[in-house]
Amino acid sequence: MRNHWYDNIKGVLVLLVVFGHLLTDVRGAYDDILPKWVYLFLYTFHMPLFIMLSGYFFRENRYLRVIQLFVVYVIWQVILGSWFAFTEGIPLLSLENPALNILTPYWALWYLMAIIIWYVITPYVTQLKGYVLFALLFALLFGFQAESTGFFALRKVIMFYPFFLIGNWMSERNTLNFFELPKRAEQRNRYRIGGFAVFTTLTLGLLASMSFQQEGTFYHIGNLFKFRFAYESAVPEAIWSGPFAFLIVYTVSILMAISFALMIPGRELPVFTRAGKYSLYVYLVHVFLVVAWKAFIPAGFMPTSWLQLLVLFGVAFLIVLVIISPPVVKLLKPLVEIDVRRAQDVKDVKS
């Protein structure tokens, strides 16, 4: 039986992923800081929590799962890369077509590539004592490396890996089960109130700290939480402060991620529970729709930024609803839930 709490968390997170991707270009379309602030706010916790949950449910010796994810990745890299090339007027046989660069994940597909790599290396990494601290230290040191490219999504694979290992560490110790739907309503409410208090405090603290910064700082700090750049780009004014800046980012993200999870209800929520169940569908297919949206809709088509945000959130919600609808899920299932066991059975029969 599926756990509604975990599905609800993933359902809310995948909606925020769609919203965040729709919001990317809007930051530069308005003079006020609201879109920049919302964008920064989302990236403080939504991907770290998604990755922590992936680590929480990781199990060793799932080789068929790794093969399945890689096949899914290749298929969608070709589909989405070709769609991007089409919308940008790039020849499909050109090397500029992301579909032909299989080992350089296109846009949001970095996460699928990262999951594949983490699934392969984690059984060996967890043999180390204090493996979370080792991964964190390596990530902080890697920030000095300025030459890494999108090949294998290497920077994000390394920089986000501590979140995956933290989730795995919590799973081994049943840490999340401590919070998971206590039988007594008073306990459930206590956890939710505590999560709300921590999440709100951190959000207000972040907002207060940003009120003293220049407008351009939103871009830099937003990129810190996305782990997109090396220290020389993320903190160019003081590169040696990079590890300390990223250590703060890790701390804030972990606290916000866990406190956010505690606020999510554990009962079945029709849309979000289903969206969590089919979160991989949403994650893959929304890229197709977001690319189409950005190709044909101006970044700032509403008179004010807050109206733009409301419209985009509604569009994101509609995208999720469409993708998780039964007919669409049934249509996409052969491309998302590929049964590699059938190929294995055929191989065993032939041998």
Side-chain angles (χ1 to χ4, degrees), residues 60-78:
E60 295 185 15
N61 301 321
R62 299 183 65 185
Y63 302 111
L64 286 178
R65 178 59 173 164
V66 173
I67 295 171
Q68 180 193 44
L69 288 174
F70 184 73
V71 173
V72 171
Y73 164 77
V74 171
I75 289 173
W76 285 93
Q77 175 81 356
V78 172

Side-chain angles (χ1 to χ4, degrees), residues 292-329:
W293 176 272
K294 291 185 176 184
F296 302 109
I297 306 296
F301 61 89
M302 297 299 292
T304 61
S305 63
W306 67 268
L307 280 174
Q308 179 80 350
L309 293 178
L310 286 177
V311 171
L312 290 182
F313 189 82
V315 171
F317 192 79
L318 183 61
I319 287 175
V320 172
L321 282 179
V322 170
I323 296 174
I324 67 173
S325 64
V328 175
V329 168

Side-chain angles (χ1 to χ4, degrees), residues 265-338:
R267 65 182 183 277
E268 184 175 4
L269 304 174
V271 174
F272 294 109
T273 305
R274 183 172 175 82
K277 181 179 179 180
Y278 295 107
S279 57
L280 182 58
Y281 287 74
V282 179
Y283 200 91
L284 292 171
V285 181
H286 90 277
V287 178
F288 185 90
L289 300 175
V290 170
V291 168
W293 176 272
K294 291 185 176 184
F296 302 109
I297 306 296
F301 61 89
M302 297 299 292
T304 61
S305 63
W306 67 268
L307 280 174
Q308 179 80 350
L309 293 178
L310 286 177
V311 171
L312 290 182
F313 189 82
V315 171
F317 192 79
L318 183 61
I319 287 175
V320 172
L321 282 179
V322 170
I323 296 174
I324 67 173
S325 64
V328 175
V329 168
K330 184 177 181 179
L331 178 67
L332 295 172
K333 189 173 183 178
L335 296 176
V336 178
E337 299 184 41
I338 298 172

Side-chain angles (χ1 to χ4, degrees), residues 53-321:
L53 285 177
S54 297
Y56 186 81
F57 290 108
F58 167 75
R59 297 294 181 268
E60 295 185 15
N61 301 321
R62 299 183 65 185
Y63 302 111
L64 286 178
R65 178 59 173 164
V66 173
I67 295 171
Q68 180 193 44
L69 288 174
F70 184 73
V71 173
V72 171
Y73 164 77
V74 171
I75 289 173
W76 285 93
Q77 175 81 356
V78 172
I79 293 174
L80 296 174
S82 299
W83 174 243
F84 168 79
F86 173 76
T87 59
E88 295 295 317
I90 299 172
L92 293 181
L93 297 181
S94 168
L95 291 179
E96 296 180 21
N97 180 1
L100 301 183
N101 298 296
I102 295 297
L103 298 183
T104 302
Y106 169 64
W107 197 13
L109 291 181
W110 72 265
Y111 178 64
L112 202 54
M113 173 62 79
I115 290 292
I116 294 168
I117 295 173
W118 294 337
Y119 267 49
V120 172
I121 67 174
T122 296
Y124 305 100
V125 172
T126 52
Q127 298 301 313
L128 299 172
K129 192 173 183 178
Y131 56 86
V132 175
L133 294 178
F134 276 113
L136 180 60
L137 178 61
F138 185 73
L140 293 174
L141 291 175
F142 188 80
F144 289 106
Q145 171 57 255
E147 300 301 325
S148 63
T149 65
F151 192 64
F152 280 112
L154 187 60
R155 183 172 301 282
K156 290 194 174 186
V157 167
I158 293 173
M159 301 300 285
F160 276 106
Y161 191 38
F163 295 115
F164 185 87
L165 291 178
I166 288 171
N168 179 253
W169 181 87
M170 295 174 76
S171 176
E172 290 181 349
R173 288 155 183 79
N174 289 321
T175 306
L176 282 182
N177 286 343
F178 177 72
F179 303 114
E180 182 189 347
L181 300 177
K183 293 181 180 179
R184 296 178 59 185
E186 308 89 71
Q187 289 181 309
R188 293 199 298 269
N189 292 334
R190 193 179 303 129
Y191 292 141
R192 286 172 185 154
I193 291 171
F196 177 80
V198 173
F199 190 80
T200 302
T201 300
L202 289 171
T203 300
L204 292 176
L206 187 63
L207 181 60
S209 66
M210 292 306 300
S211 65
F212 298 103
Q213 305 292 336
Q214 296 179 353
E215 184 176 334
T217 306
F218 279 85
Y219 285 98
H220 291 298
I221 296 184
N223 286 330
L224 282 179
F225 281 96
K226 292 178 70 175
F227 298 103
R228 288 187 61 190
F229 303 111
Y231 296 148
E232 69 173 24
S233 298
V235 283
E237 66 283 352
I239 185 173
W240 289 103
S241 69
F244 301 101
F246 273 77
L247 191 58
I248 293 173
V249 166
Y250 279 115
T251 303
V252 170
S253 290
I254 292 168
L255 291 175
M256 289 195 72
I258 294 176
S259 59
F260 181 81
L262 293 179
M263 295 189 295
I264 303 298
R267 65 182 183 277
E268 184 175 4
L269 304 174
V271 174
F272 294 109
T273 305
R274 183 172 175 82
K277 181 179 179 180
Y278 295 107
S279 57
L280 182 58
Y281 287 74
V282 179
Y283 200 91
L284 292 171
V285 181
H286 90 277
V287 178
F288 185 90
L289 300 175
V290 170
V291 168
W293 176 272
K294 291 185 176 184
F296 302 109
I297 306 296
F301 61 89
M302 297 299 292
T304 61
S305 63
W306 67 268
L307 280 174
Q308 179 80 350
L309 293 178
L310 286 177
V311 171
L312 290 182
F313 189 82
V315 171
F317 192 79
L318 183 61
I319 287 175
V320 172
L321 282 179

